[in-house]
Amino acid sequence: MFRCFLLLFNIVDAICGGILICYSVWLKVALEASDTAVSIYWILPLSIGVTLMVMSTLSFLGMACSSCRVLLSVSSWLAFPVSLLELAISTSCYFMQDAFFEFLNDNKSEMNMSDKTVDSIHVWFIVIIAMIFILGCLQIFRFYMSKNLRNNIRKDAREFDDYWRKDTDDYRRRQDESRVQTKEKYDALRQKYKDKYSRSGSINQSSLMTESFLDGDEETGEAQFL
């Protein structure tokens, strides 16, 4: 199961890292004519984006090549300090956003920025802060999930392959058990409602037969009376 999670983490890190790098380049171009004091607002996301790309690359190489297995450990150990860095950056940017937005509004004419560009920076700045904060939480989860990996990384190739295989087999076994339990649950519900509607149909049929019998008796009585 961890192997699937690790692959998912790597994909998320690579995608988010690329987004942060693109955002940083776009923001740098937009702030190119501004004071260097605001350069921190594109340098911080750029540093996080590059770090995420490096982590995902190391992890991908460690998963793909047995001779590069140590890179998995490096990527795993980096998760905790990177998570602290991401949480610190997202928190600091959140509290500095008012000063940044005020700077943009006061100097947009000098930087030749349109109102649309300023509004776009406002929106994307909030999105990037939220993304970095969520990534920080995910990195903490990744560090926790990597505990067994760090404990088994020093094993020889055969033992480590057995660890990977056992983890994959356990995940598949749990998936199969979950599917079986789900199937049994729905089969039981299906049988329950089937029995319920069968009894309901039998009762309705009996009621119809009783009504028909009573109607027949009434017609017979009327005929005799006539």
Side-chain angles (χ1 to χ4, degrees), residues 135-195:
L135 285 171
C137 297
L138 288 177
Q139 294 301 332
I140 293 176
F141 182 64
R142 176 177 183 162
F143 181 79
Y144 173 77
M145 291 288 294
S146 303
K147 180 179 179 180
N148 289 333
L149 173 66
R150 294 191 297 273
N151 293 336
N152 291 276
I153 201 71
R154 294 185 178 85
K155 294 181 177 180
D156 59 39
R158 180 177 299 177
E159 290 178 335
F160 189 75
D161 290 340
D162 291 340
Y163 162 72
W164 273 129
R165 192 178 301 109
K166 182 178 181 299
D167 181 79
T168 303
D169 292 341
D170 290 343
Y171 175 73
R172 290 176 178 173
R173 177 177 54 80
R174 286 192 293 268
Q175 289 290 99
D176 292 339
E177 291 176 354
S178 177
R179 281 194 292 268
V180 170
Q181 291 175 358
T182 302
K183 184 177 182 301
E184 291 177 350
K185 176 182 177 181
Y186 283 106
D187 287 344
L189 287 174
R190 191 180 298 110
Q191 187 63 37
K192 175 183 176 181
Y193 286 109
K194 182 179 179 181
D195 295 341

Side-chain angles (χ1 to χ4, degrees), residues 2-221:
F2 173 71
R3 192 169 189 173
C4 297
F5 275 117
L6 185 60
L7 180 61
L8 180 61
F9 283 136
N10 292 338
I11 294 174
V12 171
D13 285 348
I15 293 175
C16 292
I19 292 175
L20 289 173
I21 291 174
C22 293
Y23 166 79
S24 300
V25 173
W26 171 70
L27 188 60
K28 180 183 183 301
V29 173
L31 300 175
E32 189 172 4
S34 64
D35 189 358
T36 55
V38 296
S39 298
I40 190 173
Y41 293 102
W42 64 264
I43 291 177
L44 292 178
L46 179 63
S47 62
I48 294 296
V50 172
T51 303
L52 291 176
M53 294 296 289
V54 171
M55 284 182 60
S56 61
T57 301
L58 293 177
S59 187
F60 275 128
L61 289 175
M63 293 179 66
C65 183
S66 59
S67 60
C68 301
R69 194 175 64 194
V70 68
L71 298 179
L72 283 173
S73 180
V74 175
S75 176
S76 174
W77 280 109
L78 281 174
F80 186 70
V82 169
S83 68
L84 297 180
L85 179 63
E86 289 172 338
L87 293 176
I89 288 177
S90 60
T91 304
S92 60
C93 287
Y94 176 79
F95 287 106
M96 293 189 301
Q97 63 177 324
D98 291 337
F100 180 52
F101 294 159
E102 183 178 355
F103 173 84
L104 291 178
N105 292 326
D106 293 341
N107 298 275
K108 60 184 178 181
S109 58
E110 298 177 3
M111 294 184 292
N112 297 321
M113 280 188 184
S114 63
D115 292 336
K116 183 178 180 180
T117 301
V118 174
D119 292 339
S120 298
I121 293 176
H122 283 211
V123 172
W124 277 103
F125 190 82
I126 300 299
V127 172
I128 293 300
I129 289 177
M131 179 188 296
I132 294 176
F133 182 82
I134 294 172
L135 285 171
C137 297
L138 288 177
Q139 294 301 332
I140 293 176
F141 182 64
R142 176 177 183 162
F143 181 79
Y144 173 77
M145 291 288 294
S146 303
K147 180 179 179 180
N148 289 333
L149 173 66
R150 294 191 297 273
N151 293 336
N152 291 276
I153 201 71
R154 294 185 178 85
K155 294 181 177 180
D156 59 39
R158 180 177 299 177
E159 290 178 335
F160 189 75
D161 290 340
D162 291 340
Y163 162 72
W164 273 129
R165 192 178 301 109
K166 182 178 181 299
D167 181 79
T168 303
D169 292 341
D170 290 343
Y171 175 73
R172 290 176 178 173
R173 177 177 54 80
R174 286 192 293 268
Q175 289 290 99
D176 292 339
E177 291 176 354
S178 177
R179 281 194 292 268
V180 170
Q181 291 175 358
T182 302
K183 184 177 182 301
E184 291 177 350
K185 176 182 177 181
Y186 283 106
D187 287 344
L189 287 174
R190 191 180 298 110
Q191 187 63 37
K192 175 183 176 181
Y193 286 109
K194 182 179 179 181
D195 295 341
K196 177 181 177 180
Y197 288 121
S198 296
R199 289 195 299 269
S200 177
S202 299
I203 293 173
N204 291 335
Q205 186 176 3
S206 300
S207 300
L208 290 174
M209 292 178 64
T210 303
E211 291 177 359
S212 299
F213 179 76
L214 293 175
D215 291 341
D217 287 346
E218 290 178 358
E219 291 176 357
T220 302

